[in-house]
Amino acid sequence: MELHDVWFVLIAVLWIGYFFLEGFDFGIGVLTKLLARDRTEKRVLINTIGPVWDGNEVWLLTAGGATFAAFPEWYATLFSGFYLPLLIILLCLIVRGVAFEYRAKRPEENWQRNWEQAIFWTSLIPAFLWGVAFGNIVRGVKIDREMEYVGTFWDLLNPYALLGGLVTLTLFTFHGAVFAALKTLGDIRTRARSLALKLGLVTAVLALAFLVWTQVDKGDGWSLLAMVIAVVCLVGAIGAIQLGREGWSFALSGITIAAAVAMLFLTLFPNVMPSSLDPAWSLTVTNASSSPYTLKIMTWCAAIATPLVLLYQGWTYWVFRKRIGTQNIAQAH
Amino acid sequence: MDLALAPETLARWQFGITTVYHFLFVPLTISLAALTAGLQTAWVRTEKEKYLKATKFWGKLFLINIAMGVVTGIVQEFQFGMNWSDYSRFVGDIFGAPLAFEALIAFFFESTFIGLWIFGWDKLPKKIHLACIWMVSIGTILSAYFILAANSWMQHPVGYRINAERGRAELTDFWLVLTQNTALTQFFHTITAAFLVGGAFMVGISAFHLARKRHITVMRTSLRVGLITLIIAGLGTAISGDLLGKVMFKQQPMKMAAAEALWDGQAPAPFSVFAYGDVEKGHNTVAIEIPGLLSFLANDDFSSYVPGINDVNKAEQEKFGPGDYRPNIPVAYWGFRWMIGFGMASLTIGLVGLWLTRKKFMLAPGLRTGEDEVPNLVLFKRKALSPRLGKWYWIIALWTMAFPLIANSWGWIFTEMGRQPWVVYGVLRTRDAVSPGVSTAEVLTSMIAFTLLYAVLAVIEVKLLVKYVKAGPPELTEDDLNPPTKIGGDRDPDRPMAFSY
């Protein structure tokens, strides 16, 4: 296994980390409309992710930075090619970050309601668009001899990618509902469970369609294995939430995300961005990667930093392990 | 195509707008994190309530500010790939590594521990909670270091070779990229300049309250902390600026010649105080100069030779082929002056302020009524004059807040525009760095979207800052004074969250 293969795996791991973690906080954002009955409940939901969402988002920045460093051509083609969707995602992430931080900084109800609206939309839209983006990467887009994306914005809105978007949206929302059930107390917890069950069933149908489509189109033995794991864990997560085993359900919905993302990366390899115009023009782990020297330095950095990151991020979740409920929300604001 | 709407022009405007905007928040974030951490350390060590109040007050302003710094930072990372894809392809092997290091080492640190700090007031024992804000502070400084190492490589590329087959630059010595003198001096200069912003911020806001005789204990302490920060940072900025200048004279003679509007090489070379020139003809029509000073700034020698714009342009034409290698000279010239002028003004105000608020005036018997006395600023024997002049000092102190920000912004505009037409000095031209596949309409759309959003957010942020500045330090509660002794909190689990959203 050469270093560029290692980095292909590491970038897959970073995306898995990102979708696992920000997946549930996107989900919580969407659930502020679907699950919360009143504003106090909205605040409970937002507070479940309050201490951690910022750290979750860094997984995206690290995935982006690592792609830049390890596969500059991939980074360049992807970011310039998917210009408008990425612009929308960026605008959402800007507003979303500010919304979390500023919502409670003024007592006026109008102010807070506006930011709550913002949290809903800016969680929903990226949750959908990431699926669209990955759908397109796997499916292959119009990349020319110069490694430039020559398609249009509308080319990105094909049925396969749109289905991918629906899968990430529903899967993250399901994952968020399970997280909500795990982290809250009282009435909201009960409703989170029953909503998770319904969301889980919708997710299962969409995810199965998307994963089977992927497998039929691009799959091999390994991707089939990942697909089976994803589907079994999703069913397990739905079962566990019905049995009231919230911790198990959350772990399983997380593994579902991990396995589904792993499946996409497995179908890609050794490409990183296949060309739909001519397979010879595809970006691969070899023609898109950095020099062995750069990869070696990066590998050292990752080998030392990643365990530390996991350690202190894990510690954060442990510090804030207690469930919260409406009684934890101060009535003043 | 109309040049004004060329993708390169638009992409440069977008980079300029998003970077300068981002950098309004960065220096304040870096310095306020450390200053808040310092105040919290004082609270943990002395248990004086004024320090806890100060920590909560400045911490809140820090949080309002860092939120904007973080979200506008994401744009910076994405922008290289979106607008500058040929740049990314050409230098990703080198430039990407410090960016990835920043994310893995610094940014994870910062954002994880900030969550712990915000929500940890009633979950963590006092010392562990204090450690969290220090972690945030270390994260912000590390982050700055990696970014500046990357930027320094663009100013002065080292530790690489050109791979002709792949058509790109490849890293050969990462250690050199991280430790070259450009990176170290630029880091020194940027960090000290950041503390200049934080110091002035503290001085201005403390002065605002003291002038109104409110929150005196907390604000008097903050004022002194701010003034001392302002002075140390001011001296540091001047020293590091001089060092950086000398490095730049060697590495980017064109930038420094443009900063001085020095058209033709001279020995000794004068420092320009004011100049108005004709860029096309390549000379100044008006020039007020201090003889020999530029030679000294460049080479530590009052009579040494300093090459001019026309000389460097000619040398670069011989080296890189025909073309115009001059940056926008008025921008470089005035940018350099605004940077130094506003930076030095901040330092001066700090020195005067520290003098005026020294113990003699703050606590001189007969001038004070008690512990909560406002500094009187009495400098004059005629007592009638003192209050009137004192008022003016408070107003100047308030205005000081803006000075280092202006200096910082112009410093970056000068640094980045002074390097043009190169994006990587001597290696890659800016026009060869843009994304070839991205249309004018796309860049225009994103530029308008970012600019509008940033404008709206600026208004919101400033209004919030003003609100919390006016509100002053919070009253302390039982919970504040009795932090938990166990990790995870050891009191009533049903109490409202202290610092929640």
Side-chain angles (χ1 to χ4, degrees):
Chain A
M1 195 158 166
E2 288 192 55
L3 275 183
H4 50 67
D5 301 331
V6 172
W7 272 93
F8 181 83
V9 175
L10 283 176
I11 283 168
V13 169
L14 287 168
W15 280 106
I16 288 171
Y18 177 63
F19 287 143
F20 185 118
L21 295 170
E22 188 125 292
F24 73 73
D25 70 51
F26 279 147
I28 291 285
V30 174
L31 290 170
T32 54
K33 272 228 158 78
L34 297 188
L35 176 61
R37 277 224 178 111
D38 54 31
R39 298 202 45 246
T40 314
E41 287 193 353
K42 268 185 199 178
R43 280 177 266 175
V44 171
L45 285 178
I46 293 169
N47 278 327
T48 60
I49 55 168
V52 294
W53 73 266
D54 200 0
N56 294 349
E57 197 163 279
V58 179
W59 286 81
L60 168 66
L61 293 173
T62 311
T67 311
F68 195 173
F71 298 100
E73 308 279 4
W74 185 10
Y75 171 80
T77 306
L78 177 66
F79 280 61
S80 64
F82 291 10
Y83 197 92
L84 290 178
L86 282 172
L87 173 66
I88 297 169
I89 288 175
L90 265 180
L91 295 173
C92 286
L93 294 182
I94 293 172
V95 175
R96 187 171 186 264
V98 174
F100 283 131
E101 298 291 348
Y102 286 0
R103 196 191 61 81
K105 295 278 187 292
R106 290 188 81 97
E108 295 89 346
E109 203 177 315
N110 239 350
W111 167 273
Q112 299 201 353
R113 274 190 199 281
N114 287 341
W115 287 121
E116 282 158 12
Q117 285 284 350
I119 288 172
F120 170 75
W121 287 106
T122 58
S123 300
L124 183 137
I125 296 167
F128 175 74
L129 286 179
W130 281 126
V132 176
F134 269 84
N136 276 304
I137 293 174
V138 170
R139 177 174 175 264
V141 288
K142 292 177 184 165
I143 294 172
D144 70 4
R145 188 192 300 276
E146 308 292 318
M147 295 185 173
E148 293 295 339
Y149 175 72
V150 290
T152 65
F153 173 63
W154 306 110
D155 289 337
L156 300 176
L157 303 181
N158 53 76
Y160 174 77
L162 290 173
L163 179 61
L166 286 179
V167 171
T168 48
L169 177 60
T170 52
L171 184 56
F172 292 166
T173 312
F174 168 66
H175 191 45
V178 176
F179 183 75
L182 180 65
K183 291 297 292 179
T184 56
L185 278 172
D187 187 37
I188 189 167
R189 176 182 174 187
T190 323
R191 272 183 291 117
R193 273 193 210 161
S194 64
L195 184 62
L197 198 62
K198 286 177 213 149
L199 282 167
L201 295 173
V202 179
T203 309
V205 173
L206 291 168
L208 194 66
F210 180 72
L211 295 180
V212 169
W213 191 343
T214 311
Q215 179 63 27
V216 170
D217 240 19
K218 311 259 174 187
D220 59 10
W222 289 107
S223 67
L224 183 67
L225 178 66
M227 181 185 133
V228 171
I229 293 173
V231 172
V232 169
C233 288
L234 183 56
V235 173
I238 298 167
I241 199 75
Q242 196 176 13
L243 296 173
R245 307 298 298 265
E246 290 145 357
W248 279 104
S249 180
F250 182 67
L252 288 169
S253 66
I255 298 173
T256 308
I257 291 177
V261 178
M263 180 192 176
L264 297 184
F265 275 86
L266 283 167
T267 55
L268 266 180
F269 189 83
N271 289 331
V272 293
M273 248 183 120
S275 167
S276 60
L277 297 177
D278 182 341
W281 297 341
S282 295
L283 276 68
T284 68
V285 285
T286 35
N287 74 12
S289 76
S290 281
S291 63
Y293 175 72
T294 298
L295 292 176
K296 196 176 92 187
I297 287 170
M298 300 264 301
T299 310
W300 276 107
C301 177
I304 295 165
T306 317
L308 277 174
V309 170
L310 290 173
L311 210 65
Y312 62 69
Q313 284 210 335
W315 186 66
T316 309
Y317 285 87
W318 187 73
V319 168
F320 298 106
R321 65 194 178 281
K322 281 193 184 142
R323 292 171 182 271
I324 55 171
T326 45
Q327 73 278 16
N328 297 106
I329 303 299
Q331 285 314 306
H333 61 101
Chain B
M1 179 178 292
D2 182 9
L3 191 65
L5 283 178
E8 182 205 336
T9 317
L10 289 174
R12 282 183 62 189
W13 269 107
Q14 182 167 331
F15 194 83
I17 292 168
T18 51
T19 307
V20 168
Y21 190 74
H22 175 58
F23 209 75
L24 293 176
F25 307 103
V26 173
L28 196 56
T29 300
I30 292 172
S31 50
L32 270 187
L35 290 168
T36 308
L39 288 166
Q40 194 172 344
T41 309
W43 147 244
V44 170
R45 291 182 66 105
T46 66
E47 302 213 325
K48 285 187 188 163
E49 288 186 15
K50 67 172 180 181
Y51 288 122
L52 182 57
K53 280 187 178 176
T55 306
K56 293 223 162 188
F57 177 70
W58 296 107
K60 192 84 143 196
L61 300 180
F62 163 67
L63 291 177
I64 292 171
N65 182 70
I66 196 179
M68 292 288 286
V70 169
V71 295
T72 52
I74 311 173
V75 177
Q76 298 303 97
E77 193 196 83
F78 276 45
Q79 180 162 213
F80 293 113
M82 289 168 74
N83 286 346
W84 304 97
S85 68
D86 273 3
Y87 170 80
S88 307
R89 287 180 209 283
F90 191 79
V91 305
D93 199 75
I94 302 152
F95 191 82
L99 285 191
F101 271 58
E102 189 220 3
L104 267 167
I105 297 173
F107 212 29
F108 264 128
F109 233 67
E110 196 182 320
S111 11
T112 310
F113 284 100
I114 194 118
L116 279 159
W117 190 71
I118 299 175
F119 286 81
W121 285 97
D122 46 20
K123 291 277 178 198
L124 293 171
K126 182 149 97 156
K127 286 190 179 162
I128 295 178
H129 187 250
L130 173 64
C132 291
I133 185 80
W134 277 113
M135 292 294 203
V136 174
S137 173
I138 293 168
T140 58
I141 291 172
L142 276 175
S143 184
Y145 171 66
F146 286 118
I147 292 301
L148 290 170
N151 181 271
S152 297
W153 188 83
M154 295 164 77
Q155 310 288 347
H156 183 242
V158 290
Y160 75 102
R161 64 186 169 87
I162 299 291
N163 180 338
E165 194 192 332
R166 291 280 299 252
R168 70 179 185 188
E170 286 181 355
L171 191 59
T172 56
D173 189 345
F174 189 55
W175 185 245
L176 191 59
V177 172
L178 291 182
T179 58
Q180 66 153 324
N181 57 2
T182 325
L184 298 179
T185 42
Q186 209 179 14
F187 173 66
F188 182 20
H189 192 53
T190 312
I191 290 294
T192 47
F195 277 89
L196 205 59
V197 175
F201 188 74
M202 267 188 146
V203 168
I205 290 169
S206 310
F208 171 82
H209 283 296
L210 288 173
R212 285 159 187 74
K213 297 193 172 30
R214 288 196 309 228
H215 313 293
I216 292 164
T217 326
V218 173
M219 288 304 159
R220 197 167 60 189
T221 304
S222 302
L223 180 74
R224 297 285 288 186
V225 170
L227 286 168
I228 291 166
T229 307
L230 200 55
I231 292 164
I232 297 174
L235 293 174
T237 318
I239 295 167
S240 57
D242 181 55
L243 288 174
L244 185 59
K246 286 185 178 28
V247 170
M248 285 293 128
F249 271 111
K250 288 187 185 65
Q251 295 173 354
Q252 295 185 19
M254 176 61 95
K255 185 192 277 183
M256 297 313 286
E260 280 300 315
L262 180 73
W263 293 97
D264 299 301
Q266 287 181 44
F271 180 87
S272 165
V273 179
F274 177 85
Y276 181 79
D278 187 332
V279 176
E280 288 313 308
K281 290 196 183 128
H283 71 88
N284 291 331
T285 41
V286 183
I288 303 170
E289 297 167 334
I290 304 171
L293 184 59
L294 187 61
S295 295
F296 181 74
L297 290 178
N299 304 313
D300 273 334
D301 169 4
F302 281 102
S303 57
S304 61
Y305 175 80
V306 178
I309 297 164
N310 297 334
D311 311 302
V312 185
N313 199 22
K314 213 157 141 198
E316 295 206 348
Q317 281 165 348
E318 276 161 22
K319 195 169 167 192
F320 302 114
D324 187 356
Y325 295 91
R326 298 175 304 174
N328 184 323
I329 288 156
V331 168
Y333 182 83
W334 289 111
F336 191 61
R337 262 144 204 79
W338 294 132
M339 171 182 80
I340 294 177
F342 280 100
M344 289 301 100
S346 317
L347 170 61
T348 314
I349 290 168
L351 286 168
V352 172
L354 202 65
W355 169 264
L356 290 176
T357 56
R358 69 195 189 279
K359 217 165 189 172
K360 191 176 153 195
F361 293 116
M362 300 261 289
L363 299 171
L367 293 178
R368 63 171 170 162
T369 51
E371 259 296 287
D372 286 349
E373 180 65 6
V374 184
N376 271 298
L377 298 168
V378 180
L379 255 190
F380 308 94
K381 288 194 175 152
R382 287 182 55 194
K383 291 216 164 142
L385 209 56
S386 303
R388 200 182 297 167
L389 281 171
K391 197 177 132 196
W392 274 101
Y393 292 133
W394 295 131
I395 291 173
I396 293 172
L398 194 60
W399 276 102
T400 310
M401 286 167 69
F403 293 176
L405 276 178
I406 299 171
N408 268 270
S409 300
W410 277 108
W412 272 112
I413 292 169
F414 164 64
T415 305
E416 299 291 274
M417 282 186 74
R419 187 186 51 213
Q420 302 302 329
W422 300 103
V423 63
V424 181
Y425 194 69
V427 177
L428 183 69
R429 270 170 250 232
T430 310
R431 63 157 192 262
D432 299 324
V434 289
S435 302
V438 173
S439 69
T440 306
E442 282 173 318
V443 191
L444 199 60
T445 309
S446 66
M447 192 169 94
I448 293 170
F450 282 129
T451 312
L452 284 179
L453 181 61
Y454 280 6
V456 172
L457 290 179
V459 173
I460 293 172
E461 138 113 17
V462 170
K463 280 194 169 169
L464 267 187
L465 281 177
V466 169
K467 174 189 146 84
Y468 278 93
V469 164
K470 281 189 175 162
E475 286 308 314
L476 299 178
T477 63
E478 267 311 287
D479 283 349
D480 292 326
L481 296 170
N482 299 301
T485 52
K486 279 196 314 219
I487 294 173
D490 48 358
R491 285 164 300 139
D492 174 18
D494 283 350
R495 83 193 168 289
M497 302 170 86
F499 231 66
S500 63
Y501 289 136

